[in-house]
Amino acid sequence: MEQEIINVSEIFGEYVFNDSVMQQRLPKKVYQKLQETLAEGGELDLETADVIAHEMKEWAIEKGATHFTHWFQPLTGVTAEKHDSFITAPKSSGKVLMSFSGKELIKGEPDASSFPSGGLRATFEARGYTAWDPTSNAFVRKDAAGATLIIPTAFCSYTGEALDKKTPLLRSMEAINKESLRLLKLFGNESSKKVTPSVGIEQEYFLIDREKYLQRKDLVYTGRTLMGAMPPKGQEMDDHYFGAIRERVAAFMKDVNVELWKLGVSAKTQHNEVAPAQHELAPIYEEANVAVDHNQITMEMLKKVAYRHGLQCLLHEKPFNGVNGSGKHDNWSLVTDDGCNLLEPGKTPHENTQFLLVLACILAAVDDHADLLRESASDVGNEYRLGGNEAPPCVISVYLGEQLEEIIEQLLETGEATHSLKGHHLNTGVANLPNFRKDATDRNRTSPFAFTGNKFEFRMVGSQDSVSSPNVVLNTIVAEAFSNACDALEGSKDFEADAQKYICELISKHQRIIFNGNGYSKEWEEEAAKRGLPNITNMVDAIESLTTDKAIKLFEKFGVYTKAELLSREEVEYEAYAKEMNVEAKTMIDIVSKQIIPAVINYTSVLANSINAVKAACGADVSVQTELLCESSDLLADVQAGLSALKMAVEEGKKMEPGKAQAVFYRDSVKKALDDLRIPIDKLEMIVDKELWPMPSYGDLIFEV
Ligand code: ADP
Ligand code: MG
């Protein structure tokens, strides 16, 4: 097949109102004013905003846009938008003008009463505002709705409380910026003006055939399969991981890349993942808030392009029991405006006091707030994945690798570190292959929080979740640790010695958080318990971490969340858990009543008829039919009993007030009933004639894409 040539540098950012477009189109003064505001924070005056809005509109119209929308990220975890066209009221001539004012750019006012607010906003105070986030570029999106100018915004209530996932992230970025600059000053750095958390997000997903997807009401309504027997082959052959990408999938990936590049998302890596039909996409890292926005765009694009290819992209953390689920690795580092990464150990980390202080602070932060980190990676789907030998356990620990581990040991033993392990040359034993230097440190795939060269990789996050919360937590807890270090060291007379001492103290106090072994093992769970590390095994138990005194103090100190905002998030999460479990339960009831039970009755009738027919015709042996009939009828009775139990649990759950007690009930009773009901169904799937089974099997779904 003749391939079209894709000129990446030409299409990259084609639909983004980015810096170079602004430089080109905005009057110099306006451009400068915007840059100043971006650098220093603060508000943009309306006059400047008017000029920017006008140019933005002209540019968008050239790209075909008829509408604009403020694009925001409410607490649902997905994005929201409300489109307005650029047209103004028709003049007497009957013609319309296309207009877009600074006011419309800066502020929007969607009726916010239907977004979760956790009590922050009574329904009678439905006002919510969206506010332009100039740090994340506006862009034009083309789809069936035509072309729309999309303006990234924050979303808050009439009284200024954050109702979204962007506002706290921006606040946390300010906090870590401020405290990082303080820390750099300790080391005499006066030149860096800004420190930004850099984030690179690896996105895992499944891709299945859309026709088959539509035949699975569980996938349609809940994003995961609620039943399904294992196919003869799962992922045990390890032949999918990094395997050759199938044509149909490759064509999909190509289109996803092109669409993302046009929107300025630097899609970089793609490969097949461990489970059949599972894949991964990773962009190049960028500023945290832009990375979070781009991840939302990526998730939307994966779904949209899949649809075009007759495929369905599943972003759920655990679409199929028994094969690996999907996560989202959050790679995080701190980079100065003059290009220095605070997490870069350099060639001789033992001499790099600044790096060691940063590292010690991060260890302290993660140890002090392991519960918050765990909470930040909680969503309902992720509960089916964490701790399942495919994803990090629920215990937070830090993997440092051999080189840093060895330096930590030196510090703990003697109070100073005198040498660093070096990477050696790797000899492949084949003359024609180049020998290359290998890293001083190997990787550990089982750690929830791993140092990987010059960044930390938080691997707990769920595949469909927003990565905002994990980064809010990371930024804030590290800001606190930096702030404590600065408080302790700012007045020091003998900085080198005091810093060394401080580093050793932190490390010795928090060394329990370091673990370099196999995080999936049972022994680690026991060892972690001995060390007193929290093991929060489920989302419902994790939620209260948001509102401990410790958490409130932390977030209020750095202006990231008020107490009211934390309480609201706690409420929203309990409710989200109960609601999602309720949908799963109702979907199960629907499928079992209308599809599974009728199918099994059908099958047993066929068997019964066969028995009668054989008996009437010749009296031959009908033991096989009889055995199958007995077995399937018994299982059918189990299904009926399980269905009644689930119905009862749902009825009871529905009567409860939203809140913790209800979430606990859904976890302990509804989820349990759901899991129990699945067991006889999966057994029946292995017995009943495939022609009579009412939906595609796991094998059909994941092996026949
Ligand atoms: P893997 O973890 O699969 O080996 P990579 O190391 O290539 O993958 O990187 C994974 C992600 O981490 C990518 O999105 C990459 O851009 C990002 N990344 C690389 N360096 C940094 C850094 N210093 N800070 C934040 N993210 C980074
Ligand atoms: Mg990774």
Side-chain angles (χ1 to χ4, degrees):
M1 191 176 66
E2 191 65 32
Q3 287 278 354
E4 59 178 315
I5 293 168
I6 301 168
N7 186 335
V8 184
S9 58
E10 215 162 85
I11 61 171
F12 192 85
E14 194 181 348
Y15 288 101
V16 186
F17 195 70
N18 56 22
D19 191 65
S20 64
V21 177
M22 284 189 259
Q23 265 195 62
Q24 245 174 45
R25 302 189 70 122
L26 296 177
K28 220 181 179 133
K29 264 198 175 144
V30 172
Y31 175 76
Q32 271 166 0
K33 182 88 204 180
L34 177 64
Q35 292 311 310
E36 274 165 36
T37 316
L38 283 177
E40 290 155 20
E43 259 177 74
L44 209 60
D45 61 277
L46 207 54
E47 213 176 304
T48 311
D50 271 332
V51 181
I52 299 173
H54 176 77
E55 280 308 322
M56 208 184 252
K57 176 205 70 185
E58 291 294 304
W59 169 85
I61 288 174
E62 281 168 29
K63 300 280 173 204
T66 53
H67 287 68
F68 70 93
T69 179
H70 276 199
W71 184 64
F72 54 105
Q73 299 171 23
L75 300 179
T76 51
V78 291
T79 59
E81 48 194 71
K82 178 186 153 211
H83 299 194
D84 274 297
S85 78
F86 289 120
I87 63 170
T88 53
K91 302 269 178 245
S92 52
S93 65
K95 291 232 183 286
V96 291
L97 287 175
M98 300 291 264
S99 87
F100 184 48
S101 69
K103 217 171 128 203
E104 286 171 303
L105 166 64
I106 290 180
K107 194 184 97 179
E109 204 181 316
D111 176 1
S113 52
S114 296
F115 294 107
S117 80
L120 272 183
R121 197 202 42 236
T123 341
F124 57 90
E125 291 164 348
R127 264 180 211 275
Y129 294 106
T130 49
W132 178 36
D133 168 19
T135 63
S136 182
N137 290 324
F139 56 95
V140 165
R141 190 183 59 202
K142 289 193 161 180
D143 53 24
T148 311
L149 170 65
I150 314 270
I151 302 156
T153 58
F155 179 45
C156 62
S157 75
Y158 187 66
T159 41
E161 277 125 348
L163 295 173
D164 69 343
K165 300 204 170 231
K166 185 190 267 281
T167 311
L169 179 64
L170 293 172
R171 293 175 183 162
S172 75
M173 288 172 70
E174 283 182 21
I176 188 75
N177 172 43
K178 187 166 154 241
E179 301 305 329
S180 301
L181 288 174
R182 263 181 87 193
L183 185 122
L184 288 174
K185 281 218 173 68
L186 289 177
F187 292 88
N189 179 341
E190 300 284 341
S191 57
S192 300
K193 296 280 173 279
K194 196 171 174 195
V195 177
T196 318
S198 290
V199 170
I201 298 158
E202 299 162 65
Q203 175 73 50
E204 291 179 338
Y205 60 92
F206 278 84
L207 213 51
I208 62 171
D209 184 81
R210 187 166 161 83
E211 287 289 316
K212 296 195 185 106
Y213 162 82
L214 291 172
Q215 293 168 47
R216 296 280 316 211
K217 296 302 170 205
D218 46 2
L219 282 176
V220 172
Y221 291 122
T222 73
R224 77 179 185 102
T225 54
L226 299 173
M227 58 195 72
M230 275 305 282
K233 180 181 168 188
Q235 63 190 44
E236 62 273 41
M237 308 296 285
D238 289 330
D239 51 355
H240 192 257
Y241 191 51
F242 282 24
I245 299 172
R246 268 175 281 197
E247 281 275 304
R248 189 177 184 195
V249 175
F252 157 85
M253 286 180 172
K254 186 196 90 182
D255 281 2
V256 169
N257 285 335
V258 168
E259 294 287 356
L260 288 177
W261 289 334
K262 285 182 186 168
L263 296 182
V265 180
S266 55
K268 167 96 174 149
T269 338
Q270 60 201 25
H271 61 80
N272 286 351
E273 260 300 331
V274 173
Q278 192 186 29
H279 311 278
E280 180 182 297
L281 182 154
I284 298 172
Y285 66 96
E286 48 199 347
E287 282 192 17
N289 67 318
V290 178
V292 170
D293 285 0
H294 280 174
N295 181 247
Q296 292 287 356
I297 294 177
T298 303
M299 289 195 285
E300 283 168 23
M301 199 55 84
L302 286 169
K303 286 190 173 168
K304 208 176 265 184
V305 175
Y307 183 80
R308 273 191 235 146
H309 284 250
L311 295 163
Q312 183 71 32
C313 172
L314 305 177
L315 291 173
H316 194 283
E317 286 78 8
K318 193 74 179 175
F320 308 101
N321 266 20
V323 294
N324 273 15
S326 302
K328 183 137 65 187
H329 292 178
D330 186 66
N331 294 270
W332 180 92
S333 67
L334 290 170
V335 183
T336 67
D337 55 335
D338 41 6
C340 151
N341 177 359
L342 271 61
L343 274 79
E344 174 60 58
K347 287 211 169 64
T348 51
H350 67 283
E351 295 173 331
N352 188 344
T353 313
Q354 181 181 306
F355 171 75
L356 291 177
L357 181 59
V358 168
L359 182 69
C361 284
I362 294 175
L363 291 175
V366 174
D367 188 25
D368 283 340
H369 298 292
D371 58 337
L372 273 179
L373 267 179
R374 161 70 178 95
E375 202 289 326
S376 76
S378 299
D379 73 2
V380 184
N382 218 14
E383 297 311 291
Y384 299 101
R385 186 182 80 99
L386 292 179
N389 256 325
E390 56 186 88
C394 295
V395 186
I396 299 265
S397 65
V398 180
Y399 171 80
L400 290 179
E402 239 182 319
Q403 189 187 43
L404 295 184
E405 171 95 334
E406 208 261 345
I407 293 174
I408 299 266
E409 269 164 30
Q410 293 176 49
L411 287 170
L412 286 173
E413 273 167 27
T414 64
E416 66 175 332
T418 54
H419 57 274
S420 302
L421 289 181
K422 293 237 164 8
H424 296 289
H425 276 100
L426 187 76
N427 189 344
T428 55
V430 179
N432 278 341
L433 290 180
N435 288 343
F436 50 83
R437 278 191 89 76
K438 63 176 184 177
D439 296 307
T441 293
D442 198 4
R443 284 168 176 262
N444 177 326
R445 293 264 159 215
T446 65
S447 174
F449 198 81
F451 185 71
T452 42
N454 60 2
K455 58 183 161 81
F456 272 100
E457 186 169 339
F458 183 38
R459 303 203 179 108
M460 258 189 177
V461 189
S463 48
Q464 64 183 332
D465 207 3
S466 159
V467 266
S468 169
S469 302
N471 288 296
V472 169
V473 170
L474 264 173
N475 295 341
T476 316
I477 64 178
V478 175
E480 181 190 55
F482 283 1
S483 168
N484 291 341
C486 293
D487 289 347
L489 295 170
E490 265 165 356
S492 162
K493 299 272 180 299
D494 183 357
F495 178 70
E496 260 304 316
D498 288 345
Q500 279 286 335
K501 208 166 134 236
Y502 189 80
I503 291 168
C504 288
E505 274 167 23
L506 278 191
I507 289 175
S508 116
K509 186 164 166 217
H510 297 287
Q511 55 175 309
R512 66 173 187 165
I513 197 74
I514 303 172
F515 178 63
N516 284 339
N518 179 5
Y520 293 174
S521 67
K522 193 84 204 132
E523 295 78 49
W524 167 232
E525 228 181 291
E526 288 158 14
E527 164 69 18
K530 274 195 215 134
R531 295 190 191 182
L533 298 173
N535 184 2
I536 308 173
T537 57
N538 63 87
M539 169 171 172
V540 177
D541 285 345
I543 296 172
E544 62 195 13
S545 315
L546 282 173
T547 52
T548 59
D549 290 344
K550 173 175 73 99
I552 294 170
K553 201 171 133 225
L554 166 81
F555 286 121
E556 289 209 318
K557 177 173 177 189
F558 293 97
V560 173
Y561 289 119
T562 61
K563 184 175 176 185
E565 287 170 339
L566 287 167
L567 286 167
S568 75
R569 274 152 185 82
E570 182 183 40
E571 204 180 307
V572 167
E573 294 213 11
Y574 283 132
E575 215 178 320
Y577 183 86
K579 277 185 180 163
E580 231 177 287
M581 287 312 305
N582 194 47
V583 171
E584 289 198 356
K586 284 185 356 200
T587 303
M588 187 71 154
I589 291 169
D590 193 87
I591 295 177
V592 173
S593 309
K594 297 203 289 219
Q595 292 186 279
I596 301 295
I597 291 178
V600 181
I601 290 177
N602 204 351
Y603 175 68
T604 48
S605 312
V606 172
L607 282 172
N609 289 341
S610 152
I611 292 168
N612 289 336
V614 173
K615 272 188 186 155
C618 57
D621 183 356
V622 287
S623 60
V624 173
Q625 292 96 316
T626 311
E627 197 185 319
L628 286 171
L629 181 59
C630 292
E631 203 180 337
S632 46
S633 299
D634 282 348
L635 287 167
L636 183 61
D638 292 346
V639 171
Q640 181 63 17
L643 180 63
S644 305
L646 181 61
K647 281 180 176 166
M648 261 167 55
V650 169
E651 278 312 308
E652 223 170 299
K654 255 190 356 206
K655 286 188 213 132
M656 298 174 77
E657 283 289 312
K660 182 173 178 179
Q662 191 195 39
V664 167
F665 180 82
Y666 269 91
R667 179 195 66 195
D668 294 345
S669 302
V670 178
K671 183 170 177 296
K672 165 120 198 353
L674 196 71
D675 293 344
D676 288 348
L677 175 50
R678 178 182 182 141
I679 297 168
I681 296 176
D682 289 355
K683 286 185 186 155
L684 278 165
E685 190 185 338
M686 296 301 288
I687 298 171
V688 173
D689 184 347
K690 187 166 172 55
E691 297 293 313
L692 298 178
W693 196 251
M695 63 189 81
S697 68
Y698 270 23
D700 301 336
L701 291 168
I702 60 178
F703 282 102
E704 294 174 22
V705 185

